[in-house]
Amino acid sequence: MTFAVAILCAALMGFAIQRGATCAVAAVGEIVQTGKASKLIALVEAALWVSSGVILAQGLGRVTHLPLGYDVTIHTLVGGAILGLGAFVNRACVFGAIAKLGSGNWAYVLTPVGYFMGAASFPQDLRMGPPTRGAILDHHPQLTRWIMLVAGLYLAGRLVTHVIKSVRFRRPAEAVWSPHQATLVIGMTFTILFVLVGSWSYTEFLEQAAIAMAKGFGWKGLLFGALLAGAIIGGARSGRLSLQMPAPIWLVRCFLGGVMMGWGSLLIPGSNDGLILVGMPFLLPHAWVAMAAMCATIWLCFTVTRR
């Protein structure tokens, strides 16, 4: 029963990713091109949902320990930069690739394939060992309580706003699945997944698949399948799904972008889905540094290409 709920949550997350605003490339591109930061704010809100939900579950005894992190090194910065460059080449991060695939941009099938190949070809001597740092929230209960209070008040306000919008719309689904609200659904479904099966991301599944079927490979693969199915269903329901043959250049870009994102993720270690929904919510320093390096690289790429 527990795993059935997890499968449902993964599918719902895929459906929401297809409608949401969780792509780091799109968020940085919006800042460069329009000066707005609505998509970046949506990413932060998704992280707030995760941290608040998991800390609440920990208080109720449903979560026994928080994720662990890594020391910040030169690998963290270089890995974040490579991850950002790969996402820019791909024109979507690992979240955005799932959204585009669900919309019928079939070239993005090669993004997870490229990610897998990047993880498989990554030098063994550069792979990081086990995590070395505990979550800050695990060691500072007073800070945890303040974050819970502030995040709880903010998210409660967001829920009230969401309900008001749902009432005002003739079709409530239009409000529920607006890009901003869908991003919040991603945060909530990920939180439920975390409580049920622990920390999970589809890039983690691809990495484990690349190193000879690591522990947890099977059930993580099923969650990945549910995530893809949800994204495709979301694309079909929104009328975006098509059967157009992708241009050869996009096949190359998606594969190379996936390879680079795989390399960067293993250097950090962690890809942007895990960094945003696991590392950043629990104040793991390596996740914040890597995401800053990733976003700075994407911003630089957008700026140079515009000029």
Side-chain angles (χ1 to χ4, degrees):
M1 181 62 182
T2 298
F3 192 69
V5 175
I7 288 287
L8 179 61
C9 285
L12 185 58
M13 186 191 299
F15 192 97
I17 286 174
Q18 211 283 323
R19 307 289 186 93
T22 48
C23 180
V25 177
V28 176
E30 182 187 46
I31 294 173
V32 174
Q33 295 166 0
T34 68
K36 298 180 180 179
S38 60
K39 293 181 179 179
L40 184 62
I41 293 172
L43 287 176
V44 174
E45 287 183 345
L48 281 175
W49 275 110
V50 174
S51 59
S52 300
V54 173
I55 292 172
L56 177 61
Q58 188 184 38
L60 296 174
R62 302 294 299 176
V63 175
T64 57
H65 62 277
L66 298 180
L68 301 176
Y70 297 85
D71 291 328
V72 176
T73 67
I74 188 64
H75 287 188
T76 312
L77 289 169
V78 174
I82 295 175
L83 181 60
L85 183 59
F88 182 79
V89 169
N90 190 58
R91 287 300 191 272
C93 64
V94 294
F95 267 138
I98 296 298
K100 289 180 179 293
L101 180 57
S103 297
N105 293 327
W106 301 113
Y108 284 90
V109 170
L110 291 181
T111 300
V113 174
Y115 192 99
F116 173 86
M117 293 302 296
S121 62
F122 191 77
Q124 290 290 336
D125 57 340
L126 290 180
R127 292 182 183 271
M128 295 289 287
T132 56
R133 300 177 66 90
I136 292 177
L137 299 184
D138 250 342
H139 305 292
H140 296 80
Q142 189 67 29
L143 175 62
T144 299
R145 284 192 287 270
W146 276 107
I147 290 177
M148 275 292 294
L149 176 62
V150 174
L153 290 173
Y154 177 76
L155 295 176
R158 293 296 303 148
L159 277 176
V160 171
T161 303
H162 167 65
V163 171
I164 293 174
K165 285 184 177 180
S166 298
V167 172
R168 290 177 61 187
F169 273 81
R170 289 185 178 181
R171 296 171 58 191
E174 293 177 7
V176 174
W177 296 114
S178 68
H180 199 78
Q181 305 302 335
T183 303
L184 302 185
V185 173
I186 293 168
M188 289 188 289
T189 52
F190 184 87
T191 301
I192 297 172
L193 274 170
F194 187 95
V195 173
L196 293 177
V197 299
S199 177
W200 175 83
S201 65
Y202 87 83
T203 52
E204 181 183 341
F205 156 70
L206 294 174
E207 291 166 12
Q208 292 186 348
I211 53 175
M213 310 293 184
K215 183 179 179 181
F217 170 85
W219 63 264
K220 289 178 180 177
L222 293 175
L223 292 177
F224 178 47
L227 185 78
L228 287 177
I232 292 172
I233 292 171
R237 289 293 301 272
S238 64
R240 300 173 184 174
L241 195 64
S242 65
L243 298 176
Q244 295 181 353
M245 180 65 67
I249 184 63
W250 278 105
L251 296 174
V252 175
R253 292 183 72 129
C254 290
F255 180 76
L256 289 180
V259 170
M260 295 173 70
M261 286 191 285
W263 289 341
S265 298
L266 285 170
L267 267 177
I268 293 170
S271 193
N272 74 293
D273 53 352
L275 295 175
I276 292 171
L277 295 180
V278 178
M280 295 179 68
F282 301 109
L283 305 182
L284 298 178
H286 84 283
W288 285 84
V289 172
M291 277 302 298
M294 176 186 178
C295 291
T297 301
I298 296 172
W299 177 84
L300 181 62
C301 290
F302 269 116
T303 303
V304 170
T305 53
R306 284 188 73 191
R307 292 180 180 177

